[in-house]
């Protein structure tokens, strides 16, 4: 059974900080197309603190670490992203209390729980053109690999593919949540910045682990260039 | 960007510092949470009234803190809901034995943040409750969004609840007043220009030199339609029609009438609108018992205005009459 | 022109009608002379305080009428002195056995109109006297012009004289107070944008997207220089330096500090300026006893601000503290 | 001795109304070059009322009529023009009390008195680039003809010439009075609208009396076209 070590989780978080900080303006610009242009800044405000306080973050176990990250998000991220990402990390933390390593199935469960939490918090469902449209297919990928080959590398590549694909598949949809939902039809034709962020993070994780793949959506190519 | 601003990222903390420095006897400022509470502190015999939302709508929300108004408020970045922790800390700081009523303008980000904060506070034994304000008639309820937006009517909910809390009404009673005001208040706005959030540096929407956005939201959200600019009287008629037909208001109603500036419109233009609105109100058989002309809920430097009607009864009239004090003042 | 306006020629009477409709218990409006006087009428035991000038500076001047402030005021067209007759009728309407003090902002048109009106009233046996307000440090006195302009410091002259009159001080005493305030108050402003008088339909001056006018007048008169826009703190330092060095003010002075918006600048930006100005005042050894942040003397929808310092003594502090009421109000 | 009848004075006033109303926007535009762009409107507001109430204006004698006109100006003209023109008409009225005809010398005295009144009111002197720079040379013309040929036609033509000439002679000056004085050096190169108005009124009086003359200053040509 493939194990994911705490060190690998830490590394993924560090990589995520870099992704979010590098794309602060780009993600905000994407949000500006149909939303209110604050997504990149909101997210970066939180991850900048996580990055800076990294050494002081409690790393007794994965759960403790994710709990602290969830708290930093709650403290520093405003807008819709604060509750959404804070809830996601909180749910992940609850399932990893005391653990210093997790299985692929654990990871799938964590994401499943995060998705449920985000849905309960914000009321969005698949097709509302939110980051759930990336997270839900990624969850399917995790579940399949957890039940099948259990290959973390293949899992990550397939997950990145799924999130990447979600950008183009939802591009023509009309947003039904967040500020972008307020422009009605005008959001159709623009990518959802939350989905782009998830796909970009997964692509950066691939790169960090030496998994070769070429992003399909132009936005991910741009964000990871 | 024609603004008085230093580092745009510091815009909110800097103006909050200014508000605090200018009101040392009235307000207490906690920079860590962009939180302002009454200097006089919490009275455990009285319900605390709390609010918080994105910045850019001043004097809402932090400038509405004071005796007879809010107990405390926190602000997020411009147009972004405050972080959950700020909301939680605000509830905690304002926690009263009589309970805390959180008045949330109905936006997704604000609702989610206050939901979490209220849950956290409740888990800690604080008696906190939320109430959503949604007076904007411009955008209809829909399956997909969180519904109507909360705009300038917010002022009346705060004023009435603040006065009721001051009188020692209990949490159920204060909440009932919030509901009564919210059920009887309606608003619609119109924008002539966009505004520029300092950190963004560019307008939040494009609008032609001869155009206006009817039913605009206070974050620049689109309204009912984009039109050529009309004479003030015609605009006022449109707003009045949309607002007064919404509940609907009835002939014989005693009302409060508010013309709210969105930030960049001078007071004189608001009075041009008021003159017509007052006339229309009288023609419709309403009695204008109180009026409010000025800035109550803005959108940075946006040129524009909104019209709000609140139906009054003896209880609400008395609550609006009650004394209050905030950082927004003349003398 | 992005304005709420009907027939531009009717802009002033229409907004004055709105002010009157919104303040039926406080104000009395005479359309013929664009004149507003206190509803409570004239008290022959008290000196009447009168003012009048071009429109476009609201809440100055007609919105400064009320108990503890002006007895009456009249307005001309936008930025144009009122006709002589309006001035005369205002003096006549406010004539009191205790005398009338006419507070004139120092502009040629206003001075000539009030000169004539005061002469006419005097000829009829009314005890009327003029006082010229000239607090703007931007433009130096010169042989050719009527001298320094009267700007936001005007508010303090009205407030102090209004309170003194209310206390029953005689005409000499009230005039002495006007002089004391005027001698101790200094202002300078800065514009980021121009404004558009409705009847003109075009900006009164051209200014680049990245420029500001330092020392601007409230009718868009040029100031000391045209510069690239600086960060708010630097602008505040420039204004503070120019104003505080003018009399000069001295370490140990107790002061009132005003950040006045010119019409199009949102309150938050004024507080960014206030935060810095307060800091500079403390650094200079002043004690900020009272502060005023908001709109007191505007220039239509001009984006900009002015900084005013008034040196206080016990008498002036008490006069500023005294209660007052005008059409400019929050609740 | 040449007499100017009350009827001629009335006709001159009526003509002046037409001149001012026709040039409302043009005079304001000229004021906008260095002043605040309200001169035409301010003046027209008053003369529109004079024109409208013409039949009700007391015409017992020239003095009574000019007094009423002065009062209407005081009532309706704002800005600097109210006190300036109001004072001018008032001074003229004071010298014509009870008269139904005046001599050229009377006219010269009236203008002289008006000039004194305007100077006392506004503190301007010759060369400050105000309408006094037209009125003072016109006064010289009146005095000369009153002492000489006493020919009203020739007097009027010479007066119009003098005012016309004042436009170009003061064009390069810096205004020292009125709003235009507030722009400092910037007023140099623009014509003073008050001088243009005086020259235009005199040119229209010439035209009305069939006195052929061609304006020299482009502004008068435009205003009388
Ligand atoms: N209710 C929701 N549930 C899940 N994700 C959401 C929801 N609303 C918005 N999002 C995601 O958040 C992103 C926008 O975040 P942000 O800009 O911080 O929020 P806001 O819309 O309040 O400005 C969207 O691109 C979308 O992916
Ligand atoms: N002090 C003065 N004495 C005589 N004429 C003056 C004076 N000031 C201005 N004028 C004349 O009045 C004209 C401007 O009038 P107007 O636009 O009504 O006044 P304001 O300058 O107050 O806007 C000028 O063109 C000038 O000819
Ligand atoms: Mg956003
Ligand atoms: Mg947002
Ligand atoms: Mg003028
Ligand atoms: Mg002028």
């Amino acid at each position: 059974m493939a194990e994911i070590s705490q060190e690998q989780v830490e590394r993924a978080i560090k990589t995520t900080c870099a992704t979010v900080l590098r794309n602060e303006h780009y993600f905000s610009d994407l949000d500006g197309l149909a939303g209110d242009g604050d997504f990149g800044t909101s997210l970066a405000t939180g991850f900048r603190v996580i990055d800076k306080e990294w050494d002081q973050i409690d790393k007794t176990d994965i759960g403790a670490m994710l709990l602290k990250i969830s708290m930093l998000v709650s403290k520093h991220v405003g807008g819709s992203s604060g509750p959404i990402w804070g809830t996601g990390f909180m749910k992940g933390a609850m399932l990893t209390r005391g653990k210093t390593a997790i299985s692929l199935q654990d990871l799938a469960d964590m994401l499943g729980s995060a998705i449920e939490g985000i849905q309960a918090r914000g009321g969005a469902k698949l097709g509302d053109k939110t980051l759930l449209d990336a997270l839900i297919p990624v969850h399917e990928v995790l579940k399949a690999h957890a039940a099948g080959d259990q290959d973390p590398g293949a899992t990550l590549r397939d997950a990145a593919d799924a999130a990447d694909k979600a950008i183009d598949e939802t591009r023509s949809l009309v947003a039904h949540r967040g500020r972008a939902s307020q422009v009605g039809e005008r959001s159709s034709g623009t990518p959802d910045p939350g989905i782009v962020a998830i796909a970009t993070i997964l692509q950066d994780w691939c790169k960090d682990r030496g998994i070769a793949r070429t992003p399909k959506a132009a936005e991910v190519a741009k964000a990871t260039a | 960007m024609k603004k008085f601003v230093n580092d745009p990222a510091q815009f909110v903390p800097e103006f909050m510092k200014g508000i605090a420095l200018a009101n040392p006897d009235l307000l207490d400022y906690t920079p860590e949470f962009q939180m302002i509470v009454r200097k006089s502190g919490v009275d455990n015999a009285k319900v605390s009234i709390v609010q918080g939302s994105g910045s850019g709508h001043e004097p809402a929300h932090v400038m509405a803190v004071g005796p007879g108004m809010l107990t405390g408020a926190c602000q997020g970045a411009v147009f972004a809901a405050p972080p959950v922790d700020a909301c939680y800390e605000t509830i905690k700081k304002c926690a009263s034995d009589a309970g805390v009523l959180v008045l949330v303008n109905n936006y997704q980000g604000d609702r989610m943040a206050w939901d979490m904060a209220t849950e956290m506070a409740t888990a800690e034994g604080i008696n906190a409750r939320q109430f959503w304000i949604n007076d904007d008639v411009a955008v209809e309820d829909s399956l997909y969004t969180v519904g109507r937006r909360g705009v300038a009517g917010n002022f009346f909910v705060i004023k009435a609840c603040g006065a009721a809390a001051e009188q020692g009404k209990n949490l159920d009673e204060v909440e009932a007043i919030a509901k009564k005001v919210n059920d009887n208040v309606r608003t619609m706005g119109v924008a002539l220009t966009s505004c520029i959030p300092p950190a963004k540096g560019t307008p939040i929407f494009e609008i032609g030199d001869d155009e206006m956005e009817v039913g605009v939201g206070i974050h620049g959200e689109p309204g009912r339609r984009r039109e050529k600019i009309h004479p003030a009287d015609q605009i006022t008629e449109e707003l009045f029609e949309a607002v007064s037909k919404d509940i609907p208001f009835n002939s014989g109603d005693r009302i409060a009438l508010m013309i709210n500036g969105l930030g960049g419109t001078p007071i004189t233009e608001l009075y041009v609108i008021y003159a017509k609105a007052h006339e229309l109100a009288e023609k419709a058989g309403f009695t204008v018992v109180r009026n409010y002309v000025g800035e109550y809920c803005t959108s940075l430097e946006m040129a524009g205005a909104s019209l709000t009607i609140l139906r009054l009864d003896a209880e609400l009239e008395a609550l609006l009459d009650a004394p209050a004090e905030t950082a927004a003042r003349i003398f």
Side-chain angles (χ1 to χ4, degrees), chain A residues 74-75 79-80 176 178-179, chain B residues 32 79 81 85 108 116 119 144:
Chain A
S74 288
K75 174 145 187 196
S80 293
H176 289 158
R179 291 260 196 263
Chain B
E32 187 179 2
F79 296 169
D85 260 32
Q108 176 191 283
M116 283 182 79
E119 282 168 21
Y144 305 116

Side-chain angles (χ1 to χ4, degrees), chain B residues 199-211:
Chain B
K200 190 169 186 309
T202 52
I204 44 171
F205 60 87
E206 295 302 323
I207 185 161
D209 272 353
D210 57 347
E211 288 180 329

Side-chain angles (χ1 to χ4, degrees), chain B residues 85-232:
Chain B
D85 260 32
C87 299
Y88 165 70
E89 294 290 340
T90 307
I91 296 178
K92 223 169 83 174
K93 184 98 176 183
C94 298
S96 160
D97 292 349
V100 180
L101 184 63
V102 184
L103 300 175
V104 185
N105 283 313
N106 195 35
Y107 297 94
Q108 176 191 283
D110 295 307
R111 272 179 61 164
M112 289 197 293
W114 287 106
D115 269 354
M116 283 182 79
T118 309
E119 282 168 21
M120 285 157 70
T122 306
E124 288 195 12
I126 298 172
N127 182 13
R129 219 180 271 179
Q130 288 181 78
F131 182 85
W132 300 322
I133 301 167
N134 62 347
D135 56 312
D136 190 346
V137 308
V139 177
E140 286 308 307
D141 265 328
S142 102
L143 266 179
Y144 305 116
T145 64
V146 290
R148 285 180 162 186
R149 307 172 296 213
V151 287
N154 175 54
F155 171 85
F156 291 114
V157 183
I158 297 176
K159 179 70 185 73
C161 290
E166 218 65 68
Q167 291 171 5
K169 294 235 184 319
N170 69 33
L171 188 55
D172 285 339
E173 291 165 335
V174 177
E175 189 188 34
I177 282 164
K179 183 166 162 31
K180 192 200 273 185
V181 175
N182 192 59
D183 284 347
N184 285 285
V185 69
R186 293 293 187 272
T187 300
M188 193 159 94
V190 56
L192 305 184
T193 67
S194 175
C195 60
I196 300 182
K200 190 169 186 309
T202 52
I204 44 171
F205 60 87
E206 295 302 323
I207 185 161
D209 272 353
D210 57 347
E211 288 180 329
M212 61 180 184
E213 179 77 29
V214 179
V216 72
I218 54 171
H219 311 91
E221 303 95 325
R224 294 184 170 185
R225 61 185 171 279
R226 185 64 65 91
E227 280 184 13
K228 296 286 160 209
I229 293 184
H230 296 147

